[in-house]
Amino acid sequence: MLAMFRTVFAPVVLALGIGGVLAPAQAPSAKKAEPPKAMRLYVFDCGLLNIAPAGVARYHVTPAETGETRMPVPCFLVAHPKGTLMWDVGVIPDETVEAMASKGGAHFDVNPVSAAVVTRTLKSQLAAIGYSPSDITYVAISHAHKDHSANLNEFASSTWLARPVEREFMWQKGNERVEPSFYTKLEHSKSVDISKNESKDGEYDVFGDGKAIIKAAPGHTPGHQVLILQLASLGRVMIAGDLYHYLPERTFHRAPPDNEFSVQQSADSRAKIEEYVKKTNTTLWIEHEWAANAKLKKSPAFYE
Ligand SMILES: [Zn+2]
C-alpha cells in the first residue's frame, strides 16, 4: 500500500518541482489501472467554495455554529471489479483550471454568495491512479448544481445513470442553478434511466451485487440522489450529496434551505434517509463538510 503510494505519487511531486506549478495535461500517468479484486473508493480534491455570511444563513445555521464556513468540493471514484463509477465531477471544468494553472488556480462565482477556487484538475488526479475519463464505465451526479457537474463533458463516453426529472431540470430554460455548457455532450450520450430500473424505495444497484446503490433523495433538486457503498473494510457509507451542507443542520435538525427546489421534499428525504442510515448502520458523509472532508484519505490512497 505504502509502496504503491510512493510510485504513483513521486512523478507528480517531480512535475511540481520542475515547473513550479503542476501542468495537468503533461503530468506523467500511472500505468493503466487493473480492475481491483475488492471495491475501492477514491476521494479527489475538486476545489473549495468560499461562502459569504448570507450564504451560510441560507442553511439556517450561523458561522459560530459551523466554525468553518468554507465548503470542500470533493469528487469520488468507485472502482469495482466489474467497472467504475464516477460520482460528482467538480465546480470548474478542467480546461479552465489548466488555463489558469500559472495564476494559482481558477475562480468561479457559483452565485453571489459562493465563490469557487480550484487548483487541481480531476483528470490529472484520475491519471495519477491509472484512469482516463474515457475508461470510466458509469457517471452519475448527486444533482446538477454547478458545484457537482463541471466536468460532465469529459465523461460523454461513460454510461450516464440519470433520472428524467433531473434531466428536465438540467435543460430547463432560465434555470440559474445550473450551467448547461458543463454537460452539452451528455444530451445525447449513452444513458440508463434510473427511474425505470429502481426498486420501490428508489434504489438503483449500479453493479448488480448490492455494493453500490444510488438512492433517490429529492428536494434539493427534483432528482437529487445519494450513493451508498458497502466496502469490505470500511463498511457502509453514504455519500449524501447536498442532503445537508453543514453538520449543525443535521445535529440541530434545522429546516432545509428556503431555496430548495422543494423544501417539503427535502424535509421528507432527510427523514427517510436518517431512518435508513440508522436501520442499516450506514455512516453518512456530508460532501461539503469541511472538518469531515479534511479527515478523509485522498487519492491516490483509497478506501476498500
Ligand atoms: Zn453542492
Short mmCIF file of all heavy atoms in Angstrom, two decimals, residues 49 71 143 145 147-148 220 242 245 288, ligand 1:
data_model
loop_
_atom_site.label_atom_id
_atom_site.label_comp_id
_atom_site.label_asym_id
_atom_site.label_seq_id
_atom_site.Cartn_x
_atom_site.Cartn_y
_atom_site.Cartn_z
N LEU A 49 -15.32 26.04 -1.91
CA LEU A 49 -16.23 27.18 -2.07
C LEU A 49 -16.04 28.11 -0.88
O LEU A 49 -16.08 27.67 0.27
CB LEU A 49 -17.70 26.71 -2.09
CG LEU A 49 -18.10 25.66 -3.14
CD1 LEU A 49 -19.53 25.18 -2.89
CD2 LEU A 49 -17.99 26.25 -4.55
N MET A 71 -16.54 25.42 2.14
CA MET A 71 -17.01 24.07 1.81
C MET A 71 -16.03 23.41 0.85
O MET A 71 -15.66 24.01 -0.15
CB MET A 71 -18.37 24.13 1.10
CG MET A 71 -19.50 24.64 1.96
SD MET A 71 -21.03 24.63 0.97
CE MET A 71 -22.16 25.35 2.16
N HIS A 143 -26.60 15.63 -8.00
CA HIS A 143 -27.57 16.56 -8.59
C HIS A 143 -26.79 17.49 -9.51
O HIS A 143 -25.56 17.52 -9.50
CB HIS A 143 -28.32 17.34 -7.51
CG HIS A 143 -27.45 18.22 -6.68
ND1 HIS A 143 -26.45 17.74 -5.87
CD2 HIS A 143 -27.42 19.57 -6.53
CE1 HIS A 143 -25.85 18.75 -5.25
NE2 HIS A 143 -26.41 19.87 -5.64
N HIS A 145 -26.48 20.85 -9.82
CA HIS A 145 -25.97 22.19 -9.50
C HIS A 145 -24.53 22.34 -9.99
O HIS A 145 -23.80 21.37 -10.13
CB HIS A 145 -26.07 22.46 -7.99
CG HIS A 145 -27.47 22.78 -7.52
ND1 HIS A 145 -27.82 22.84 -6.19
CD2 HIS A 145 -28.60 23.06 -8.23
CE1 HIS A 145 -29.11 23.14 -6.09
NE2 HIS A 145 -29.60 23.29 -7.31
N ASP A 147 -21.76 23.16 -8.75
CA ASP A 147 -20.61 22.66 -8.00
C ASP A 147 -20.53 21.12 -7.96
O ASP A 147 -19.74 20.56 -7.20
CB ASP A 147 -20.60 23.23 -6.57
CG ASP A 147 -21.88 22.95 -5.82
OD1 ASP A 147 -22.97 23.07 -6.39
OD2 ASP A 147 -21.79 22.59 -4.62
N HIS A 148 -21.32 20.44 -8.81
CA HIS A 148 -21.27 18.98 -8.86
C HIS A 148 -21.17 18.46 -10.29
O HIS A 148 -21.07 17.26 -10.50
CB HIS A 148 -22.51 18.37 -8.18
CG HIS A 148 -22.61 18.71 -6.73
ND1 HIS A 148 -22.28 17.83 -5.73
CD2 HIS A 148 -22.93 19.88 -6.11
CE1 HIS A 148 -22.43 18.42 -4.55
NE2 HIS A 148 -22.82 19.67 -4.75
N HIS A 220 -33.57 18.92 -2.84
CA HIS A 220 -32.55 19.93 -3.13
C HIS A 220 -32.64 20.29 -4.62
O HIS A 220 -32.59 21.46 -5.00
CB HIS A 220 -31.17 19.37 -2.76
CG HIS A 220 -30.06 20.37 -2.85
ND1 HIS A 220 -30.04 21.53 -2.12
CD2 HIS A 220 -28.93 20.39 -3.60
CE1 HIS A 220 -28.94 22.22 -2.43
NE2 HIS A 220 -28.26 21.55 -3.33
N ASP A 242 -25.99 16.82 -1.45
CA ASP A 242 -26.29 18.05 -0.70
C ASP A 242 -27.57 17.90 0.13
O ASP A 242 -28.33 18.85 0.29
CB ASP A 242 -26.42 19.24 -1.66
CG ASP A 242 -25.06 19.72 -2.15
OD1 ASP A 242 -24.04 19.06 -1.86
OD2 ASP A 242 -25.01 20.76 -2.84
N HIS A 245 -25.43 20.49 4.08
CA HIS A 245 -24.18 21.14 3.69
C HIS A 245 -23.25 21.26 4.90
O HIS A 245 -22.07 20.95 4.83
CB HIS A 245 -24.44 22.53 3.11
CG HIS A 245 -25.14 22.49 1.79
ND1 HIS A 245 -26.45 22.09 1.65
CD2 HIS A 245 -24.71 22.78 0.54
CE1 HIS A 245 -26.79 22.14 0.36
NE2 HIS A 245 -25.75 22.56 -0.33
N HIS A 288 -19.99 18.47 1.56
CA HIS A 288 -19.41 19.81 1.71
C HIS A 288 -18.91 20.11 3.13
O HIS A 288 -18.60 21.26 3.44
CB HIS A 288 -20.45 20.87 1.32
CG HIS A 288 -20.71 20.97 -0.15
ND1 HIS A 288 -19.72 21.09 -1.10
CD2 HIS A 288 -21.89 20.99 -0.85
CE1 HIS A 288 -20.27 21.19 -2.31
NE2 HIS A 288 -21.58 21.11 -2.19
ZN ZN B 1 -23.14 21.42 -3.61
#
